[in-house]
Amino acid sequence: MIARRLLTRQLCRRQPPILCIASQACAAAIAARPTPFREVRQNSTFTPPFLQRLPDTVSTILEKSRKGELVEGAAVTVHGWVRSVRKQKKIAFAQIMDGSSDQMIQLVFLDPSIALDLKTGVSVRATGKLEVTPTRQDPYEISITDPIEILGDYASPTDLYPLQKKFMTQEYLRREHPALRFRTRVNANVMRLRSVAITALSAYFLQNGFFQTQPPLITSSDCEGAGEVFTVANSSSSSSAGEHFFGQKAYLTVSTQLHLESLMMGLTRVWTLTPAFRAEESMTSRHLSEFWMLEAEVAFTKDLESVMSIVEGMIRSAVTRMKSEGVLDQILSLKRMLEKQKATAKEGEDDEEMVTADEVSERWNTLVATEQPWKRITYEQAISVLQDAVAQGKVEFQHKVEYGESLKSEHEKWLARHYAQGPVFVTNYPANMKPFYMLPGPDGTVECFDLLVPDMGELVGGSLREHDYERLRGAIAASGMDPEPLEWYLELRKWGSVPHGGFGMGFERLICYLGGVYNIREAIAFPRWIDHCAC
Amino acid sequence: MIARRLLTRQLCRRQPPILCIASQACAAAIAARPTPFREVRQNSTFTPPFLQRLPDTVSTILEKSRKGELVEGAAVTVHGWVRSVRKQKKIAFAQIMDGSSDQMIQLVFLDPSIALDLKTGVSVRATGKLEVTPTRQDPYEISITDPIEILGDYASPTDLYPLQKKFMTQEYLRREHPALRFRTRVNANVMRLRSVAITALSAYFLQNGFFQTQPPLITSSDCEGAGEVFTVANSSSSSSAGEHFFGQKAYLTVSTQLHLESLMMGLTRVWTLTPAFRAEESMTSRHLSEFWMLEAEVAFTKDLESVMSIVEGMIRSAVTRMKSEGVLDQILSLKRMLEKQKATAKEGEDDEEMVTADEVSERWNTLVATEQPWKRITYEQAISVLQDAVAQGKVEFQHKVEYGESLKSEHEKWLARHYAQGPVFVTNYPANMKPFYMLPGPDGTVECFDLLVPDMGELVGGSLREHDYERLRGAIAASGMDPEPLEWYLELRKWGSVPHGGFGMGFERLICYLGGVYNIREAIAFPRWIDHCAC
């Protein structure tokens, strides 16, 4: 009880009233928030009881506490890294985090001497009594009276811990401490978002009878004949054969689509989430040399709408599921903390671009608004809409809008933001703007679509595929490609070909969009781009 | 009713009594068999009703029928490929398959003229009335009275369809028709097994608080310094810089472990399923140049047993789940069909090695026997056991058993089959046999394990990792490696290092084991190995 009162005094001193109100709302949200995908988590009857259990994480401690399995005063052991330490005369505090969730557990030391060796960044194992204070943003504390175990100190005790707020631009972290990035709240949160997004997307495909497949990454052709590709060679091969896979030309895939079509023409519905590679000499915040791509192909459809329905269903389903599991709340709570930091930062100390909490919130809400399907317009209509907007002085673009020219990023963003006020499918681009494998549509167009979203532009691209043998052979010839490396692919159309379509989505694009990540290099664990392959 | 009687006559003529008994049992099993992961499948409330629905697959037709949503006589449309056609004077039959499950639906034509253009391999869309005959192995039929739509014929109608039984060795398929492989029951079944295995494994990791991550495939170091690696280069780079990623040496990863450790030291528990690459000049049925590897790392453990518990829990959980969902039944039913084919094959026509249904059944049952944990023995004990067995004349090995020598495949298989009669963890190998990063254990050993299973030998390898900065630096030096490319990895031990461990499992090995796949090249969609990168 003394501990309780002491703590309460400390809490009040730490939190000005204005923050308390926000914290209360937040605490209520936290208390109501379920663990993502709890239906799967709870069903752990398959692991027999004689196997050793993993220790509790911060996440499981909080979950057990919310469910009443761990009550106030219960003995609890926590493992994690010290985020911050505050030592006072009669009390000390340490924030512990283990990356299992964005939440922290606070250790409270009524005997500050126990906390003497604690410093930011060390890892600890601590046992104490659970204390719950619902009014705080991180309402769970552990009261420590016995010495705690420091698992990992600094290797050089006199060195300065590198993850200090004042140094911590993302660019600095990537360059100087690539391995330590995931101990920061921002990067850990993105990694968790990737994981729950995969779970949610997988659930959609499972529900809809798609099989997850793994097309190859090393290929003998450079697929679309577009863009720069990487070559693969045995390191032991002689320098003259330096670009060869056991003596044969081989590339890293730029898209698994062609191989995925082969799997689809046996399994009917397939999807994949695999790395793809582009040797583009691009330095923008939107391009990576190695990224993950979600691709799907579906047989027995002659209808572009059915492919767009899969894309819309997939994103709606995944985002709705993640939202209902509290994932958006976690992102927003972190964003709001960052916004506060930014607001109080000194000149030049925190000048990295940031997507705000409100922007992220709007993105999620727009994607899952269920009243009506997302807008669909043709490329031709899109050109008219853009030209009208320019003519009416509603907008000025850097690039001229002209039929037959590709939509630039500024056009795409405007269409989504101002025309559709949300996601929009632009369909039926002129054939000469698109790769050889797309099915011809009316008036010199192909049966294709790009899904555009506000702020970002293209998120998904898809099409019906040419399924006729002779027409596909003709399209390859017309595009000036050598048909020989594509004979295996052409064979799919020789025997029982089926009308089909599919799409591809850059997984990091989705993560940027949902996570409010400004630079795509922060959406992947170890980004590779031109001149950058640090570790 | 006439159709019904006619069909019944046909059925009896087609099936000798001895088969009927087996078929009845089989039909009962089919009727009772749930769709894999139905709890996830059924929860599709996230897709709004205005989106276009995909047409029924063979799998959904059968499922709806079992659930009573499609009753006898209901109008049904099916899409698929014709597996076989039988035309008689007054009736014709065609087996339809779409790869959504191993089951087929039979089309019955009471007017054989409608089936005139049907031949094996063409794709069709057919509408008719559902007929259910529970006593048949494929109990679902559709009675067709209207013309059906041929979606894809042969491009050259006079050519011979290449997927004929008599040609169909796996080796022939891989070499001559790599894109068409997935239209065969055997290969489609393996692809489905991969997909459900991923779902089951993912569920285990989700239940246990692991985050799924994606470490990089292009790396700046060749990791363990062992084995042949592939190099990556821009195709546009000049020949003198042919082995370079934008001017820097870069490799395809042989294991994501080091990067995974970095993710783990932020998120506590992580796993990944990613491609890995080995440029080994190996032609065995056990090695691929590009394969998928499941790796996991877990923080805050000092105990090898906890890592082995994860491995055992993961495999038990995934296999139990798949078994309860009917996956084993599907494999066995296919195996039994193949065994019959093999038994009646002509000399030299079907001489590929095959794992029998009984062998597969035994593998699954041994893995999920829940009475006791799998055996654990040390390497030293394993050597004694093997030497005793040799001394007692129980076994003769090609390679001598000696302490300090690696266990050969024949030793591993014997240990699992005869000593453990099931899976066995062999722990604590001598340090000099293992890579630099493993944590030292007693008597010159390291805290590591290999999981061996009967017939296959090693399935998983894991260890505790050295987490002390100075000792890790020493181990790198002692192994003769250049520490410079590993400085980023060493930094993990500089700041708040934690005791941890992890493991890696070749995904295709697991698929071979569970699917009874003899050659690992059949366990992956597009196998790459020395000199083989066909498409």
Side-chain angles (χ1 to χ4, degrees):
Chain A
M1 279 311 286
I2 295 172
R4 182 87 264 139
R5 275 198 297 275
L6 250 173
L7 285 173
T8 311
R9 270 216 305 284
Q10 290 291 342
L11 288 168
C12 291
R13 215 178 301 153
R14 273 175 283 151
Q15 296 188 324
I18 187 75
L19 268 181
C20 273
I21 296 166
S23 298
Q24 274 172 17
C26 198
I30 287 164
R33 184 194 300 166
T35 310
F37 306 103
R38 65 195 181 291
E39 76 281 7
V40 180
R41 289 198 181 215
Q42 282 164 359
N43 187 3
S44 58
T45 50
F46 296 126
T47 307
F50 50 73
L51 290 178
Q52 191 173 313
R53 297 284 155 166
L54 291 169
D56 276 328
T57 60
V58 168
S59 174
T60 54
I61 290 171
L62 301 189
E63 193 180 347
K64 284 181 181 174
S65 170
R66 279 194 293 267
K67 283 156 65 181
E69 293 171 17
L70 270 178
V71 294
E72 175 111 15
V76 176
T77 297
V78 65
H79 299 77
W81 289 272
V82 173
R83 294 274 315 175
S84 63
V85 190
R86 225 151 32 88
K87 296 168 193 167
Q88 298 173 359
K89 263 187 197 160
K90 296 192 173 166
I91 197 163
F93 303 92
Q95 300 266 11
I96 303 294
M97 201 163 195
D98 70 353
S100 64
S101 88
D102 189 49
Q103 286 187 268
M104 291 187 272
I105 285 186
Q106 179 154 264
L107 305 186
V108 182
F109 302 87
L110 293 178
D111 172 2
S113 71
I114 299 176
L116 215 57
D117 296 336
L118 285 191
K119 48 194 173 182
T120 304
V122 303
S123 59
V124 298
R125 178 179 195 277
T127 302
K129 280 185 184 167
L130 187 69
E131 310 272 357
V132 184
T133 314
T135 48
R136 299 193 58 243
Q137 175 145 17
D138 291 317
Y140 301 94
E141 297 183 324
I142 299 176
S143 168
I144 306 285
T145 47
D146 294 327
I148 70 172
E149 186 181 358
I150 295 193
L151 299 169
D153 201 340
Y154 303 171
S156 309
T158 55
D159 281 1
L160 198 61
Y161 185 59
L163 302 189
Q164 307 278 354
K165 264 182 202 160
K166 54 182 169 182
F167 302 139
M168 291 247 290
T169 66
Q170 287 293 340
E171 206 254 323
Y172 163 82
L173 271 179
R174 277 198 312 263
R175 197 183 58 231
E176 300 295 331
H177 303 286
L180 297 182
R181 278 173 106 201
F182 314 108
R183 292 202 202 157
T184 71
R185 292 179 79 162
V186 172
N187 289 296
N189 197 58
V190 172
M191 293 303 119
R192 286 191 297 268
L193 176 60
R194 289 178 70 101
S195 186
V196 294
I198 291 172
T199 305
L201 292 163
S202 300
Y204 171 82
F205 286 113
L206 188 56
Q207 275 164 23
N208 288 281
F210 285 76
F211 295 102
Q212 187 171 2
T213 61
Q214 291 77 34
L217 302 196
I218 300 179
T219 66
S220 62
S221 70
D222 58 354
C223 184
E224 308 189 13
E228 298 286 343
V229 294
F230 290 111
T231 56
V232 177
N234 312 23
S235 63
S236 60
S237 56
S238 66
S239 64
S240 65
E243 286 189 36
H244 293 79
F245 172 93
F246 301 114
Q248 175 187 356
K249 277 261 182 195
Y251 307 91
L252 287 181
T253 190
V254 297
S255 156
T256 66
Q257 180 199 317
L258 306 192
H259 294 90
L260 202 55
E261 285 183 63
S262 164
L263 284 152
M264 172 274 300
M265 283 219 204
L267 302 170
T268 292
R269 294 179 199 163
V270 295
W271 74 288
T272 188
L273 181 62
T274 48
F277 304 87
R278 304 266 163 99
E280 290 175 67
E281 303 201 353
S282 169
M283 295 288 283
T284 79
S285 61
R286 289 177 47 180
H287 292 92
L288 294 166
S289 292
E290 173 180 330
F291 59 102
W292 284 70
M293 184 136 71
L294 189 157
E295 293 178 278
E297 291 286 327
V298 56
F300 306 112
T301 181
K302 301 174 174 179
D303 184 351
L304 194 63
E305 175 55 37
S306 69
V307 186
M308 293 189 286
S309 280
I310 297 169
V311 172
E312 182 170 344
M314 170 189 82
I315 295 175
R316 279 175 176 269
S317 155
V319 174
T320 306
R321 189 184 279 262
M322 286 193 280
K323 195 167 177 242
S324 74
E325 304 278 8
V327 176
L328 175 59
D329 292 341
Q330 288 164 29
I331 295 168
L332 295 182
S333 140
L334 185 63
K335 283 276 173 194
R336 297 215 168 95
M337 182 201 76
L338 292 172
E339 282 170 13
K340 264 183 236 157
Q341 277 182 13
K342 211 177 170 76
T344 60
K346 296 198 192 84
E347 180 79 21
E349 204 183 74
D350 186 358
D351 53 1
E352 288 194 304
E353 295 272 4
M354 194 182 124
V355 182
T356 66
D358 287 348
E359 285 168 327
V360 174
S361 183
E362 188 228 335
R363 290 178 183 183
W364 285 61
N365 291 328
T366 308
L367 289 177
V368 299
T370 49
E371 294 74 23
Q372 47 193 344
W374 298 343
K375 280 209 167 67
R376 282 105 165 114
I377 55 169
T378 65
Y379 166 83
E380 190 177 7
Q381 290 167 331
I383 294 291
S384 295
V385 165
L386 290 166
Q387 286 174 337
D388 288 354
V390 171
Q392 292 164 20
K394 287 185 194 164
V395 60
E396 281 181 35
F397 293 121
Q398 220 183 321
H399 302 89
K400 201 176 171 198
V401 180
E402 211 156 357
Y403 189 96
E405 294 295 318
S406 66
L407 294 178
K408 299 293 185 298
S409 187
E410 57 175 343
H411 307 143
E412 294 179 338
K413 288 176 187 170
W414 191 91
L415 280 170
R417 167 66 62 201
H418 298 281
Y419 168 73
Q421 282 134 25
V424 55
F425 289 100
V426 179
T427 68
N428 294 91
Y429 287 67
N432 58 12
M433 295 166 61
K434 292 290 177 181
F436 70 91
Y437 50 72
M438 292 189 177
L439 190 73
D443 306 324
T445 66
V446 279
E447 296 287 3
C448 71
F449 63 84
D450 281 356
L451 173 66
L452 314 179
V453 291
D455 307 344
M456 174 171 277
E458 185 189 337
L459 179 61
V460 184
S463 77
L464 297 179
R465 322 301 194 186
E466 177 59 78
H467 56 275
D468 179 81
Y469 178 74
E470 293 300 339
R471 285 201 305 264
L472 183 61
R473 186 170 276 286
I476 291 171
S479 73
M481 295 173 73
D482 176 10
E484 202 281 322
L486 292 170
E487 286 298 339
W488 68 273
Y489 174 70
L490 274 159
E491 194 178 35
L492 286 172
R493 278 70 173 174
K494 257 190 186 164
W495 311 102
S497 181
V498 296
H500 65 284
F503 66 87
M505 173 175 75
F507 183 61
E508 282 75 22
R509 287 262 176 109
L510 181 73
I511 295 303
C512 282
Y513 198 67
L514 296 181
V517 179
Y518 182 78
N519 189 327
I520 202 162
R521 294 167 203 160
E522 265 61 75
I524 191 165
F526 294 87
R528 273 83 175 90
W529 74 100
I530 177 170
D531 296 338
H532 289 80
C533 178
C535 53
Chain B
M1 280 310 287
I2 294 171
R4 180 87 265 138
R5 276 198 298 274
L6 251 172
L7 285 173
T8 311
R9 270 218 305 283
Q10 289 292 342
L11 288 167
C12 292
R13 215 178 301 152
R14 273 175 286 151
Q15 296 187 324
I18 186 73
L19 268 182
C20 273
I21 296 166
S23 298
Q24 275 172 15
C26 197
I30 289 165
R33 186 194 301 166
T35 309
F37 306 104
R38 67 195 181 291
E39 77 280 9
V40 180
R41 290 199 179 212
Q42 281 164 0
N43 187 4
S44 58
T45 51
F46 296 124
T47 307
F50 50 72
L51 290 178
Q52 190 173 312
R53 298 284 155 166
L54 291 168
D56 276 328
T57 59
V58 168
S59 173
T60 54
I61 291 170
L62 302 191
E63 192 179 347
K64 285 180 181 175
S65 169
R66 279 194 294 266
K67 283 156 64 182
E69 292 170 18
L70 271 180
V71 294
E72 176 111 14
V76 177
T77 297
V78 65
H79 300 77
W81 288 272
V82 173
R83 294 274 315 178
S84 63
V85 190
R86 228 151 29 91
K87 296 169 193 167
Q88 299 173 358
K89 263 188 199 160
K90 297 191 173 170
I91 197 163
F93 303 92
Q95 301 265 9
I96 303 294
M97 200 165 196
D98 70 353
S100 64
S101 86
D102 189 49
Q103 287 187 268
M104 292 188 271
I105 286 186
Q106 180 153 264
L107 305 186
V108 182
F109 303 87
L110 294 178
D111 172 3
S113 71
I114 300 176
L116 213 58
D117 295 337
L118 284 191
K119 48 194 174 183
T120 305
V122 303
S123 61
V124 297
R125 179 179 193 278
T127 300
K129 282 186 183 166
L130 186 70
E131 309 272 357
V132 184
T133 315
T135 47
R136 296 195 57 243
Q137 175 145 19
D138 291 318
Y140 302 94
E141 297 184 323
I142 299 176
S143 168
I144 306 287
T145 48
D146 294 327
I148 69 171
E149 185 181 358
I150 295 192
L151 299 169
D153 201 338
Y154 303 170
S156 308
T158 53
D159 281 1
L160 198 61
Y161 185 60
L163 303 189
Q164 306 278 355
K165 264 183 202 159
K166 54 183 169 180
F167 302 140
M168 291 246 290
T169 67
Q170 287 293 340
E171 207 254 323
Y172 163 83
L173 271 178
R174 278 197 313 263
R175 197 183 59 230
E176 299 296 329
H177 304 286
L180 298 182
R181 277 173 107 201
F182 314 108
R183 292 203 201 155
T184 69
R185 293 179 79 162
V186 172
N187 289 294
N189 196 59
V190 172
M191 294 301 121
R192 287 191 297 268
L193 176 60
R194 289 178 71 100
S195 187
V196 295
I198 290 171
T199 305
L201 292 162
S202 301
Y204 171 83
F205 285 114
L206 188 56
Q207 276 163 21
N208 288 281
F210 284 76
F211 294 102
Q212 188 172 3
T213 62
Q214 292 76 35
L217 302 196
I218 299 179
T219 66
S220 62
S221 70
D222 57 353
C223 184
E224 307 188 13
E228 299 285 342
V229 294
F230 290 110
T231 57
V232 177
N234 312 25
S235 62
S236 60
S237 57
S238 67
S239 64
S240 66
E243 286 190 36
H244 293 79
F245 172 93
F246 300 116
Q248 175 187 356
K249 276 261 182 196
Y251 307 91
L252 287 181
T253 190
V254 297
S255 157
T256 67
Q257 181 198 318
L258 306 191
H259 295 89
L260 202 56
E261 285 184 64
S262 164
L263 285 153
M264 173 273 299
M265 283 218 204
L267 302 170
T268 293
R269 294 179 199 163
V270 295
W271 74 287
T272 189
L273 180 62
T274 49
F277 304 87
R278 305 266 164 99
E280 292 176 65
E281 304 200 353
S282 169
M283 295 289 282
T284 78
S285 61
R286 289 177 48 180
H287 293 92
L288 293 166
S289 292
E290 173 181 332
F291 59 101
W292 285 70
M293 184 136 71
L294 190 157
E295 293 177 279
E297 291 287 327
V298 57
F300 306 112
T301 181
K302 300 175 174 178
D303 184 351
L304 194 63
E305 175 55 36
S306 69
V307 185
M308 292 189 285
S309 280
I310 297 168
V311 172
E312 182 170 344
M314 170 188 83
I315 295 175
R316 279 175 177 270
S317 155
V319 173
T320 305
R321 191 183 278 263
M322 287 194 279
K323 194 166 178 245
S324 74
E325 303 279 9
V327 176
L328 174 60
D329 292 341
Q330 287 164 31
I331 296 168
L332 295 183
S333 141
L334 184 63
K335 284 279 174 193
R336 296 213 169 96
M337 182 201 75
L338 292 173
E339 282 169 14
K340 264 183 235 156
Q341 277 182 12
K342 212 176 169 75
T344 59
K346 295 198 192 84
E347 180 79 18
E349 203 184 72
D350 186 358
D351 53 3
E352 289 194 304
E353 295 272 4
M354 194 182 123
V355 182
T356 66
D358 287 348
E359 285 168 328
V360 174
S361 183
E362 188 228 334
R363 290 178 183 182
W364 285 61
N365 290 329
T366 307
L367 289 176
V368 299
T370 49
E371 294 74 22
Q372 46 191 345
W374 297 343
K375 280 210 167 70
R376 282 106 163 113
I377 55 169
T378 65
Y379 167 84
E380 190 178 5
Q381 290 167 330
I383 295 292
S384 294
V385 166
L386 290 166
Q387 286 174 336
D388 289 353
V390 171
Q392 292 163 19
K394 287 184 193 164
V395 60
E396 280 181 36
F397 292 122
Q398 218 182 321
H399 302 89
K400 200 175 172 199
V401 180
E402 211 156 358
Y403 189 94
E405 295 294 317
S406 66
L407 294 179
K408 299 294 183 298
S409 189
E410 58 176 341
H411 306 143
E412 294 178 339
K413 288 176 187 170
W414 191 89
L415 281 170
R417 167 66 62 202
H418 297 282
Y419 167 73
Q421 282 136 22
V424 55
F425 289 101
V426 179
T427 69
N428 293 93
Y429 287 67
N432 59 10
M433 294 166 61
K434 292 290 178 180
F436 71 89
Y437 50 72
M438 292 188 177
L439 189 72
D443 306 324
T445 67
V446 279
E447 295 288 2
C448 72
F449 64 84
D450 281 356
L451 173 65
L452 314 180
V453 291
D455 306 345
M456 174 171 278
E458 185 189 338
L459 179 61
V460 183
S463 76
L464 297 179
R465 322 303 194 185
E466 177 57 79
H467 56 275
D468 179 81
Y469 179 73
E470 293 299 341
R471 284 201 305 263
L472 184 60
R473 187 171 275 286
I476 292 171
S479 73
M481 295 172 74
D482 176 10
E484 202 282 322
L486 292 171
E487 286 298 340
W488 68 274
Y489 174 71
L490 274 159
E491 196 179 33
L492 286 172
R493 277 71 173 174
K494 257 188 187 166
W495 312 100
S497 181
V498 296
H500 66 284
F503 66 89
M505 173 176 74
F507 183 61
E508 282 75 21
R509 287 263 176 110
L510 181 73
I511 295 303
C512 281
Y513 198 67
L514 297 181
V517 179
Y518 183 79
N519 189 326
I520 202 161
R521 294 168 202 160
E522 265 62 75
I524 191 166
F526 293 88
R528 274 82 174 90
W529 74 100
I530 178 169
D531 296 338
H532 289 80
C533 178
C535 55

